[in-house]
Amino acid sequence: MAAPDLINKVEIFSLLGTKERSTLTNMFKVLTIREDQVLFRFGDPGDTFYVVKTGLVELFTHDHGGSKIVLAKCGPGNFFGELSLFDGGARTATALALEDSALLVLSREKLIKFLEQNPSAAINMITVMGQRIRNTGNLLRQRVTRNVNEESKDRRTLSEKAADNIARICGSMPFLLIHVLLFTFWITWNIEPIYHSGINWLKRAVFDPFPFGLLAMTVSVEAIILSTCLLISQNRQAAKDRIRSDIEYEVNLKAELEVAYLHEKLDNMHAEILARLHNK
């Protein structure tokens, strides 16, 4: 039987009445585990809830890069496995005993019977669970696979925006046509006056006679400015491509880890089956 004082301190039952907590206390059983013993693994079927009576249990999972994320270290009075009480779904973390521990265990079947008799207790328990789930979600949200749009959203400086706009304009067909027309007009205007029968039939002020030195200098300066803007824009695009490549790598790595996890789970199941057959 569980210790009533310990159950009274469990957060998930804090909103229950004295009578309800007393009834629930009688439903718990005591389980002892050794140091470094895995109580359950991520993805295992779950239908039990645990309260740490003595000892220390670590809850952890792994992110897409294989790094370990410690969700909580549960000491006396702390609880875990509460999601399985309501949905009976798979475990969302791995539980590892950091030292010899004694746990109070409550099965989902007994909890359902308790809630059928005390329906108001379900609302109180869900209220407490909601905040814990929210906090865990906030932690994991910082470690999930990155979003390409979020990572590459506009953080450009004014000069970078100008370079991108210039690069976009000079890479367009209107830009080319404007320059063809401008050069044609420039060269035509500065051709030496044409004489016909000794009469100058086209009078104009020539400002850049052949070999068009002013035009050559203008084109050179323009080429330097445009090439610099293009290089700046290309560097920024290369940075975006690197982000995209990193994200694709992380997605592939996460898929590989999931496959490896399935292999590990199958190996564990196979070992358990062989052990049971051996014991029989």
Side-chain angles (χ1 to χ4, degrees):
M1 182 182 296
D5 292 340
L6 183 61
I7 296 299
N8 293 339
K9 297 178 181 178
V10 177
E11 182 184 9
I12 196 172
F13 304 133
S14 61
L15 299 181
L16 300 182
T18 303
K19 182 179 179 180
E20 294 171 335
R21 285 200 296 269
S22 178
T23 302
L24 198 58
T25 298
N26 298 325
M27 297 182 177
F28 278 89
K29 293 183 178 180
V30 179
L31 172 67
T32 58
I33 55 176
R34 302 182 307 275
E35 182 179 358
D36 293 330
Q37 180 179 341
V38 175
L39 184 61
F40 55 76
R41 299 180 184 275
F42 177 88
D44 287 349
D47 59 356
T48 49
F49 168 77
Y50 301 91
V51 178
V52 180
K53 183 177 181 181
T54 60
L56 185 64
V57 177
E58 180 182 73
L59 301 177
F60 66 90
T61 185
H62 293 88
D63 64 11
H64 55 274
S67 300
K68 181 179 179 180
I69 305 176
V70 177
L71 301 176
K73 291 185 178 180
C74 302
N78 296 137
F79 64 92
F80 57 93
E82 67 277 9
L83 291 180
S84 300
L85 287 179
F86 290 92
D87 64 3
R91 298 295 186 184
T92 58
T94 299
L96 173 68
L98 299 181
E99 54 187 61
D100 293 343
S101 305
L103 308 177
L104 304 180
V105 183
L106 176 65
S107 67
R108 182 169 184 263
E109 180 181 358
K110 290 183 178 180
L111 178 68
I112 291 176
K113 292 181 179 179
F114 169 75
L115 294 179
E116 289 176 349
Q117 299 172 1
N118 304 274
S120 61
I123 301 299
N124 296 330
M125 294 174 64
I126 291 174
T127 300
V128 177
M129 288 177 57
Q131 185 58 45
R132 180 160 177 167
I133 295 173
R134 190 185 302 274
N135 293 338
T136 303
N138 290 335
L139 173 63
L140 294 177
R141 193 175 295 114
Q142 301 172 4
R143 303 296 297 269
V144 297
T145 304
R146 295 177 293 168
N147 184 289
V148 178
N149 295 326
E150 288 293 328
E151 290 292 331
S152 60
K153 67 181 180 180
D154 200 348
R155 297 189 182 93
R156 297 174 297 173
T157 63
L158 184 61
S159 60
E160 290 174 337
K161 289 181 180 179
D164 286 346
N165 291 332
I166 292 174
R168 185 177 64 255
I169 293 172
C170 70
S172 63
M173 186 59 68
F175 180 83
L176 176 61
L177 294 177
I178 290 173
H179 275 67
V180 170
L181 294 175
L182 180 61
F183 292 158
T184 301
F185 172 77
W186 185 300
I187 294 172
T188 302
W189 183 270
N190 289 284
I191 293 177
E192 292 295 334
I194 300 174
Y195 290 88
H196 182 69
S197 301
I199 301 175
N200 186 359
W201 60 276
L202 183 58
K203 294 181 179 180
R204 59 194 182 279
V206 176
F207 59 87
D208 186 23
F210 182 85
F212 315 115
L214 180 59
L215 177 61
M217 183 186 69
T218 303
V219 172
S220 298
V221 173
E222 182 187 44
I224 293 173
I225 296 174
L226 293 182
S227 61
T228 302
C229 292
L230 286 172
L231 288 174
I232 294 174
S233 182
Q234 287 177 356
N235 289 337
R236 294 193 63 259
Q237 185 60 45
K240 289 183 180 180
D241 291 339
R242 283 195 297 272
I243 293 175
R244 185 174 290 105
S245 297
D246 290 342
I247 293 175
E248 290 176 354
Y249 167 77
E250 291 170 354
V251 171
N252 292 333
L253 179 60
K254 185 175 182 180
E256 291 179 6
L257 291 173
E258 290 294 336
V259 173
Y261 163 73
L262 290 175
H263 281 292
E264 180 182 357
K265 186 174 181 180
L266 288 174
D267 291 340
N268 292 333
M269 292 176 61
H270 184 258
E272 290 178 3
I273 292 174
L274 290 178
R276 291 179 182 177
L277 291 176
H278 178 73
N279 292 334
K280 289 182 179 181

